[in-house]
Amino acid sequence: MNTSVDIGGVRLANPVMTASGTFGYGMEFDEVLNLNRLGGVVMKGLSLHPSKGNPPPRIAETSCGMLNAIGLENVGIDRFIKEKLPAMRPFSTKVFINIYGKTVEEYAAIAERSEGVEGIHGIEVNISCPNVSAGGLAFGVDPVAAADVVKAVRARTSLPVMVKLSPNVTDITEIARSVEGEGADSVSLINTLTGMGIDIHTRKPLLANVVGGLSGPAVKPVAIRMVYQVAKAVKIPVVGMGGIMTAEDAVEFLIAGATAVQVGTANFVYPDAAEKVVDGIEAFMKEKGISDVNDLIGSVDV
């Protein structure tokens, strides 16, 4: 039985990855699951310099999901390479760093510092960040700005580049095609939907940041639809995410057109969720007599 897939030049042992921001720097989960069972691990978002993120409260539960406004707290790319990455090198799972910046130059600089570093197999570029030079408009909502980021990153690294797409757009396929045109090796989607919650007793927002990102099972139908659309619009691999709690959820994304999936919010509920999804996909393939997981990809009958 073959479970391996290729994500823009990175060969994964199976199509299950963890989503950035939900799995720390990887080693936090070493005692609760077998990291070698995972196809890939995506590190929490890294910036050029350390970031403290937003003030608390930064996470709030919602119906069928959660809101978060962590603010991309992280140790910065240099400390990550020196202090966090070495512990992940002995594992066979592929490591992707997730990078973000406030300017195109910051994205490029992080990519350059990652070039040639042992243990980094790919870069996921988070374009759902405010563009300082464009008055705070997120890079990911404008096809030109998104393309500019990818072009700059592509020029500074030979590592496979995955671009994480925002769902908070009119036409996500337009953004996907724009980053593909500038050299993205794959795209991942969806990032969180913008949401808000209010405490009716205090009349204050649930998050100190007022608004945050909605994730979890509530967003899955939106994510499935966007993965389906993007997979038809581009030639590069698509990595699907958004509300994956079980192996059945993951298989649904594969059938919709995803080559791989990322498990995110489920990690907060069940720390071993990603490994259980791997087990479940294998069990599903055995039950259905499927010898190659790639036969599931894009097999939706419409």
Side-chain angles (χ1 to χ4, degrees), residues 62-84:
T62 66
S63 300
C64 298
M66 71 177 227
L67 286 167
N68 93 84
I70 302 299
L72 296 162
E73 176 187 357
N74 74 101
V75 298
I77 184 62
D78 292 333
R79 281 187 59 194
F80 167 77
I81 291 172
K82 181 180 180 180
E83 300 175 10
K84 305 294 185 180

Side-chain angles (χ1 to χ4, degrees), residues 222-266:
V222 176
I224 291 287
R225 184 262 296 179
M226 290 188 168
V227 164
Y228 171 71
Q229 291 176 320
V230 170
K232 292 197 301 179
V234 299
K235 296 179 180 178
I236 55 179
V238 172
V239 178
M241 75 190 89
I244 296 175
M245 301 294 291
T246 65
E248 290 76 13
D249 294 330
V251 169
E252 189 176 352
F253 273 90
L254 297 177
I255 293 172
T259 299
V261 298
Q262 291 183 12
V263 178
T265 300

Side-chain angles (χ1 to χ4, degrees), residues 25-103:
Y25 299 107
M27 288 303 296
E28 292 90 333
F29 286 75
D30 183 41
E31 294 184 0
V32 295
L33 53 66
N34 180 2
L35 289 171
N36 286 322
R37 282 286 286 155
L38 308 182
V41 173
V42 185
M43 301 291 108
K44 67 185 301 183
L46 295 167
S47 50
L48 190 58
H49 305 291
S51 172
K52 294 182 179 179
N54 292 325
R58 307 194 296 188
I59 292 179
E61 288 193 49
T62 66
S63 300
C64 298
M66 71 177 227
L67 286 167
N68 93 84
I70 302 299
L72 296 162
E73 176 187 357
N74 74 101
V75 298
I77 184 62
D78 292 333
R79 281 187 59 194
F80 167 77
I81 291 172
K82 181 180 180 180
E83 300 175 10
K84 305 294 185 180
L85 182 59
M88 288 297 297
R89 288 182 179 135
F91 296 96
S92 61
T93 184
K94 297 299 192 295
V95 172
F96 286 73
I97 60 169
N98 176 289
I99 69 172
Y100 74 93
K102 296 179 181 178
T103 66

